[in-house]
Amino acid sequence: MIQVSGLRKTFGDVVAVDDVSFSAADGQITGLLGPNGAGKSTTLRMLYGLMAPDAGEVTVDDLDVRQKTMAAQERLGALPDSHSLYPRLTGRENIRYFARLRQIPRDETEARTDEYVRLLEMGDFVDRRAKGYSHGERSRVLLARALIHDPRNVLLDEPTNGLDVMSTRRMRDVIRELRDRGRTVLFSSHIMQEVSLLCDRIVIIASGRVVAAGSPDAIRDTAGCEDLEDAFVSLTGPPGEAG
């Protein structure tokens, strides 16, 4: 479980995240939804311990991320918005390398790698060097790499951004599979259809603040709209400069 309380982050005079509080429960998919620049990625970076908040607290399975960063990160698997792999290694070697960093025994590494090769349908490319990978192939290897230590909590920053239709469907299937295994899944997106299809709970951020949180039905009721996209527009206000 992930809990966020009073999170705040500024960059000079710009307030990127302003008193953000929410929770993401085990066995649920929680969507962090907002316009571009709303503070979603900054919030995820603070959750993972890559960026220190100016104020507030993040706990992962009751571990304070600021005080016990390494222990909290052991319980997290993160797919960041930067898609980098070691180009001279194969996909399988990239996954194995991160397993070694996590000090996972070799036999467990091979068994888990084989499982993710099957789950993410990587068999036709995972043993090629990553240098020639498509965006979708790269994303699947990165997800396997993020999950190789079997984390209880998964952070995904716009995981289907730039993917083709088939890769998007596969990624969504895996997100549901993680939920069904009892994992906490928190992902950011600005794709309304994706959020509507996947999320048990939605947290909407606009200008760095939480403007609504709850189930998709609760969000629609709060905004007085039947359509989730209309609700989102109503709650976040007209398009303008991102906060």
Side-chain angles (χ1 to χ4, degrees):
M1 183 173 185
I2 297 171
Q3 292 183 299
V4 176
S5 178
L7 211 58
R8 179 179 173 84
K9 184 66 181 179
T10 61
F11 299 97
D13 295 331
V14 177
V15 181
V17 176
D18 187 11
D19 195 29
V20 165
S21 299
F22 64 88
S23 63
D26 296 341
Q28 287 191 354
I29 299 171
T30 301
L32 198 59
L33 180 63
N36 286 333
K40 303 185 302 295
S41 293
T42 300
T43 297
L44 288 181
R45 290 187 186 107
M46 287 188 284
L47 264 60
Y48 192 57
L50 295 178
M51 185 180 291
D54 299 329
E57 182 181 75
V58 178
T59 61
V60 177
D61 295 339
D62 296 325
L63 293 169
D64 189 305
V65 172
R66 296 182 77 176
Q67 296 180 5
K68 299 182 178 180
T69 304
M70 294 297 291
Q73 287 177 343
E74 282 295 320
R75 296 171 177 265
L76 286 168
L79 179 65
D81 57 357
S82 59
H83 285 186
S84 57
L85 290 174
Y86 293 105
R88 294 191 178 185
L89 300 181
T90 67
R92 192 183 299 274
E93 288 167 343
N94 269 276
I95 297 167
R96 284 173 177 161
Y97 177 65
F98 272 75
R100 288 183 65 186
L101 292 178
R102 295 283 188 176
Q103 298 183 327
I104 301 170
R106 186 182 298 273
D107 57 343
E108 287 186 34
T109 295
E110 295 307 309
R112 292 181 189 178
T113 301
D114 288 344
E115 178 186 9
Y116 287 120
V117 168
R118 176 192 59 78
L119 187 64
L120 291 162
E121 297 179 353
M122 299 190 293
D124 59 343
F125 65 85
V126 74
D127 292 308
R128 288 194 283 109
R129 287 189 177 185
K131 184 176 181 180
Y133 280 2
S134 68
H135 182 73
E137 291 168 346
R138 198 161 56 246
S139 294
R140 281 182 272 178
V141 172
L142 284 163
L143 182 57
R145 194 179 74 179
L147 299 176
I148 194 63
H149 61 298
D150 197 25
R152 296 293 307 173
N153 307 272
V154 183
L155 305 181
L156 307 172
D157 193 357
E158 299 190 2
T160 63
N161 186 33
L163 300 186
D164 61 27
V165 173
M166 295 307 295
S167 294
T168 295
R169 288 172 66 93
R170 182 79 292 233
M171 186 69 76
R172 289 173 180 168
D173 287 343
V174 171
I175 291 172
R176 292 189 186 99
E177 174 77 12
L178 291 168
R179 185 264 317 276
D180 293 344
R181 293 183 181 186
R183 304 298 189 258
T184 296
V185 181
L186 175 64
F187 80 97
S188 73
S189 181
H190 58 270
I191 303 173
M192 207 62 54
Q193 180 189 18
E194 183 166 79
V195 170
S196 181
L197 284 171
L198 289 175
C199 289
D200 303 294
R201 180 176 171 81
I202 299 171
V203 178
I204 298 180
I205 294 182
S207 299
R209 299 183 64 90
V210 174
V211 296
S215 68
D217 286 342
I219 296 293
R220 285 187 282 261
D221 289 344
T222 297
C225 302
E226 293 185 4
D227 182 77
L228 188 61
E229 183 174 314
D230 291 339
F232 173 78
V233 172
S234 174
L235 292 165
T236 58
E241 292 187 357

